[in-house]
Amino acid sequence: MDAKTTHILDGKALAQKIQSELISRVHSLQSQKGRPPGLAVLMVGENPASATYVRNKELACAKVGIASFGQHFPADTTQTELEQAIQTLNQDERVDGILVQLPLPGHLDAISLLYQIAPDKDADGLHAMNLGRLVRGEAGLRSCTPAGVMRLLQEYDIDLKGKRAVVLGRSILVGKPMALMLLEADCTVTVAHSRSQNLESITREADILIAAVGRPEIVTANMVKPGAVVVDVGMNRVVKEDGSSRLTGDVDFNSVQAVAEFITPVPGGVGPMTVAMLLQNTVWSWENQQG
Ligand code: NAP
């Protein structure tokens, strides 16, 4: 392949393809199961970005034939009230996936709520049990965003075996599970973070560079090895001079696309893949539900 050609990793198109596959899977099993798959997205408070994400997830569920059991709680909901709601959903046989939309208002403890979700209904793959299964290389529900990145790399036949991968960011949501999945795919993995020194020398080693930092366009062309695969997980809202805002990633797309061989756009790259993996996790739990 010509190293000077830049290929766009089109997450939007792939997400649509995955949704079509899921529609068939749901259709073919539904009469045997006697009910559709079910997902409950729990949202607390009025964060406008979260409200948009929740709405997109519910619309995507409807397209695929997943029933939504979402609940919207007022901002002053207590930890105990949410724990009770999760326990009720854990027992509800119509529900295969439960997701707590983050971030939560400051008085709530997100980690302890995630522990309340039954591991086999943990649609976001963030319960310690599922992260543990990932560490051990066992089957289980995988964190949606890094799983979406892996699926995107697979779709474009990107060879990972023995390649040097650098993950920028070490959050539980993205960076750490991402590093584990790349390791599982036989990459040699480096994880960098806010305390890493001489970032450019680290990132320039990467055949596969994943940016999950949350800093607009922090990755510039000089930080990228020519011919690298660059995946931009970042979703940053940047306010322009006229007061309007635009969505941008962690990668300076315009400069980096001149150097990289493959690159994801923002929007239309990792974002739609995250939603597709959430639907896939819910259908997977439904297919594997006992009884
Ligand atoms: P996070 O929890 O804030 O973690 C950010 C990570 O980046 C941390 O590990 C931090 O290091 C590191 N970091 C911060 N500044 C840095 C710097 N200057 N140089 C190197 N590393 C730096 O964020 P997150 O939840 O992982 O999300 C990261 C980004 O992905 C955000 O823009 C978020 O909106 C986006 N996101 C997108 C999707 C999607 O579907 N596309 C899904 C989830 C998240 P320390 O650990 O040292 O603080």
Side-chain angles (χ1 to χ4, degrees):
M1 202 173 280
D2 181 2
K4 289 197 182 73
T5 310
T6 310
H7 302 273
I8 302 294
L9 298 170
D10 188 345
K12 193 173 172 196
L14 177 55
Q16 277 165 5
K17 179 176 153 185
I18 292 167
Q19 287 190 9
S20 302
E21 289 163 5
L22 291 174
I23 289 171
S24 306
R25 273 163 67 179
V26 170
H27 186 73
S28 67
L29 257 188
Q30 187 157 328
S31 55
Q32 187 188 321
K33 290 273 182 193
R35 64 169 182 86
L39 176 67
V41 179
L42 306 185
M43 180 177 158
V44 186
E46 302 302 332
N47 181 326
S50 294
T52 305
Y53 295 144
V54 169
R55 200 165 44 248
N56 288 343
K57 285 167 186 171
E58 291 183 345
L59 285 172
C61 278
K63 261 197 207 161
V64 167
I66 296 174
S68 285
F69 295 89
Q71 293 174 36
H72 188 172
F73 296 88
D76 60 358
T77 304
T78 64
Q79 185 87 12
T80 309
E81 284 167 331
L82 283 170
E83 284 176 5
Q84 281 166 354
I86 291 173
Q87 291 306 335
T88 303
L89 291 166
N90 282 342
Q91 304 300 324
D92 189 334
E93 290 184 355
R94 300 165 304 164
V95 174
D96 303 285
I98 304 167
L99 163 71
V100 178
Q101 184 66 42
L102 303 176
L104 291 171
H107 67 283
L108 295 168
D109 177 355
I111 304 289
S112 127
L113 281 178
L114 293 178
Y115 269 101
Q116 301 293 321
I117 297 173
D120 293 335
K121 294 191 178 190
D122 171 34
D124 236 355
L126 295 177
H127 191 286
M129 175 80 88
N130 286 314
L131 290 170
R133 287 171 175 153
L134 171 62
V135 172
R136 297 181 64 99
E138 294 171 2
L141 291 160
R142 297 287 193 249
S143 316
C144 298
T145 301
V149 172
M150 296 305 288
R151 180 69 181 79
L152 198 52
L153 297 175
Q154 182 195 16
E155 181 73 9
Y156 285 83
D157 286 330
I158 291 168
D159 184 19
L160 297 175
K161 217 173 262 291
K163 295 290 165 64
R164 293 197 69 117
V166 172
V167 180
L168 285 183
R170 56 175 166 180
S171 71
I172 287 286
L173 187 62
V174 189
K176 281 179 185 165
M178 186 77 255
L180 288 163
M181 288 181 201
L182 289 163
L183 192 61
E184 208 179 6
D186 292 331
C187 284
T188 302
V189 183
T190 301
V191 182
H193 44 80
S194 68
R195 307 295 168 92
S196 298
Q197 292 180 2
N198 203 353
L199 211 55
E200 182 183 330
S201 72
I202 300 170
T203 57
R204 279 190 71 87
E205 295 268 299
D207 301 308
I208 317 287
L209 177 59
I210 316 283
V213 178
R215 302 275 182 278
E217 296 170 352
I218 191 177
V219 176
T220 46
N222 57 308
M223 297 168 73
V224 176
K225 179 177 171 178
V229 177
V230 179
V231 176
D232 189 353
V233 177
M235 289 210 300
N236 310 292
R237 185 80 32 214
V238 177
V239 180
K240 294 195 276 189
E241 274 175 14
D242 65 3
S244 63
S245 69
R246 70 185 173 98
L247 187 67
T248 183
D250 291 344
V251 174
D252 176 17
F253 184 89
N254 289 332
S255 74
V256 171
Q257 71 165 340
V259 184
E261 187 175 355
F262 289 90
I263 187 167
T264 58
V266 176
V270 176
M273 290 304 299
T274 299
V275 179
M277 293 299 106
L278 174 67
L279 304 177
Q280 185 168 285
N281 275 350
T282 305
V283 171
W284 189 85
S285 290
W286 174 69
E287 288 169 337
N288 289 286
Q289 190 216 32
Q290 304 299 314

